[in-house]
Amino acid sequence: MAKACTDVAGSSQWFECGFVTYSNAAKVRDVGVSERALVDHGAVSEATVREMAAGALRVSGADVAVAISGIAGPDGGTQTKPVGTVWFGLASRRGADVVVIAEKELFGGDRELVRRRSVDRALQMVVAIEWSAAT
């Protein structure tokens, strides 16, 4: 998603930073995901993306933070979390409050398509939350 954002000319005016926390250790170290969330729910879960998004918002000081965690394949899927399972977390400042939402999608296709669809969905979520904040 960071690449898609920074492909836009002028993005340095509104894109602060990105965290690629691929490993569980990086999720804990860089954005403050609790080890308990990872043990109890796994990296690809609502609990984890909520903590990732809230942590990224806190660490960066941004107004909006997005977290994506999924199984793009071709391996790694299980019966309960098949390939194509992707969780999205979005944290947004609303004055003194922070709103965190999470959503799960199951995308078909190969690894590249799952990743592309994930970026598209995450960007749609950002637009929706910003639109709702403006109205």
Side-chain angles (χ1 to χ4, degrees):
M1 183 173 171
K3 181 198 179 308
C5 289
T6 57
D7 280 348
V8 176
S11 59
S12 61
Q13 300 300 311
W14 49 267
F15 189 88
E16 174 68 23
C17 64
F19 301 93
V20 178
T21 57
Y22 209 68
S23 71
N24 286 351
K27 286 173 179 58
V28 172
R29 180 190 67 232
D30 297 345
V31 293
V33 172
S34 68
E35 296 209 15
R36 176 64 31 214
L38 293 165
V39 168
D40 289 352
H41 306 284
V44 181
S45 68
E46 178 178 3
T48 296
V49 296
R50 282 179 172 278
E51 289 189 20
M52 288 171 66
L57 192 75
R58 183 183 66 257
V59 171
S60 69
D63 293 322
V64 175
V66 178
I68 305 170
S69 188
I71 305 165
D75 301 320
T78 66
Q79 277 193 328
T80 57
K81 294 180 186 177
V83 169
T85 301
V86 182
W87 272 99
F88 300 88
L90 191 140
S92 178
R93 295 187 195 283
R94 294 287 182 262
D97 296 326
V98 172
V99 175
V100 181
I101 61 171
E103 175 182 299
K104 181 175 84 168
E105 297 282 352
L106 180 59
F107 298 117
D110 63 10
R111 182 177 182 82
E112 182 179 339
L113 188 56
V114 169
R115 291 174 63 134
R116 265 200 340 260
R117 287 179 173 167
S118 296
V119 169
D120 290 348
R121 182 64 195 124
L123 290 171
Q124 290 170 359
M125 290 176 72
V126 170
V127 169
I129 195 101
E130 287 306 299
W131 177 258
S132 70
T135 57

